Amino acid sequence: MSETLLAGKSLAVFDAYGTLFDVHSAVQRHEGAVGPEAGSLSETWRTKQLEYSWVYGLIGRYRSFWSLTEAALDFALARHPGVDRSLRERLLDAYRDLDAYPEVPATLDALRARGLRTAILSNGDAAMLERAVASADLGRHLDATLSVDPAQTFKTSPAAYRIACDRFGVGPEAVLFCSSNRWDIAGAAAFGFATAWVNRRAAPDEYADLPPTIVIGSLDALIAPA
């Protein structure tokens, strides 16, 4: 499986939030203080964060992803009035230092050992990505950490995916793009990337006209023996 998937590829590009980093680990870190609504709060926070990126991208009023993350948490706290609002700063600090999924470092190293370069391409702005990568000690496993900020828009805009090609001087056919977000996979497939959907939650498929090249449950499947 991995040899066929990686044939002809020189660059493996990864979404960050939800793919390399567990976006729910911020709330989980303070689950005791948040209380019984912790799971729902975290889901609302993530849903609104993404919704805001699509809305602002479509209307052409780009805002930093960190500002959208803050606004999404404010909405989530308002939606869950039983959660103590004084936790806001602690939750934001935890989001700056999200946990990486355990298989990430070894997967990145194995891909680089096979001759591929590795990079993040994320909606996150440069400052939040730099901190996330540093806190998870992933910098030594990556050749680049790329934000969509130069394009002043978010994925799924083609301009966002083009950043990776321009940075490494390759065409879309040389890229394997990995994301846990099915909408992100659809956008990357439309751009021309081969795609690996990291379906960690066994979600049903969608965007049938823009299928992933492969569906995997975790990133280490990329380097599993055929």
Side-chain angles (χ1 to χ4, degrees):
M1 177 182 65
S2 57
E3 295 303 326
T4 301
L5 181 67
L6 300 176
K9 302 296 183 288
S10 61
L11 176 63
V13 176
F14 298 84
D15 168 64
Y17 298 105
T19 304
L20 300 183
F21 303 112
D22 182 357
V23 295
H24 298 293
S25 64
V27 173
Q28 289 169 356
R29 208 170 294 166
H30 299 290
E31 188 171 7
V34 173
E37 295 184 279
S40 180
L41 177 79
S42 190
E43 291 289 349
T44 302
W45 187 6
R46 175 60 169 168
T47 297
K48 299 306 286 190
Q49 179 196 50
L50 294 175
E51 178 187 320
Y52 293 163
S53 73
W54 298 327
V55 170
Y56 282 101
L58 285 168
I59 64 178
R61 294 188 179 183
Y62 179 76
R63 290 177 53 180
S64 75
F65 198 61
W66 182 250
S67 75
L68 301 185
T69 300
E70 292 179 309
L73 177 57
D74 289 336
F75 178 89
L77 288 169
R79 176 60 66 85
H80 299 82
V83 177
D84 185 354
R85 286 190 60 85
S86 70
L87 292 170
R88 180 183 188 273
E89 294 307 315
R90 290 165 63 186
L91 292 171
L92 288 172
D93 281 343
Y95 203 95
R96 292 183 177 98
D97 299 316
L98 293 171
D99 297 335
Y101 286 103
E103 79 276 11
V104 169
T107 299
L108 295 174
D109 283 350
L111 290 169
R112 296 177 83 190
R114 296 185 185 202
L116 279 79
R117 291 174 290 181
T118 58
I120 286 174
L121 176 63
S122 172
N123 281 342
D125 49 85
M128 64 185 296
L129 287 171
E130 180 180 357
R131 177 155 169 178
V133 167
S135 67
D137 193 25
L138 293 185
R140 57 199 171 94
H141 307 283
L142 294 161
D143 293 291
T145 300
L146 307 174
S147 168
V148 302
D149 190 66
Q152 293 288 283
T153 191
F154 297 105
K155 298 182 288 182
T156 57
S157 169
Y161 299 106
R162 192 171 295 116
I163 289 170
C165 292
D166 291 347
R167 168 63 176 79
F168 287 94
V170 298
E173 69 282 352
V175 177
L176 172 66
F177 182 82
C178 308
S179 179
S180 64
N181 303 298
R182 185 61 180 88
W183 54 267
D184 198 10
I185 290 295
F191 185 73
F193 290 157
T195 57
W197 178 26
V198 190
N199 189 8
R200 297 185 184 278
R201 295 185 165 190
D205 196 17
E206 50 189 334
Y207 308 108
D209 55 330
L210 294 165
T213 307
I214 194 170
V215 181
I216 55 180
S218 62
L219 283 168
D220 48 6
L222 293 175
I223 55 173

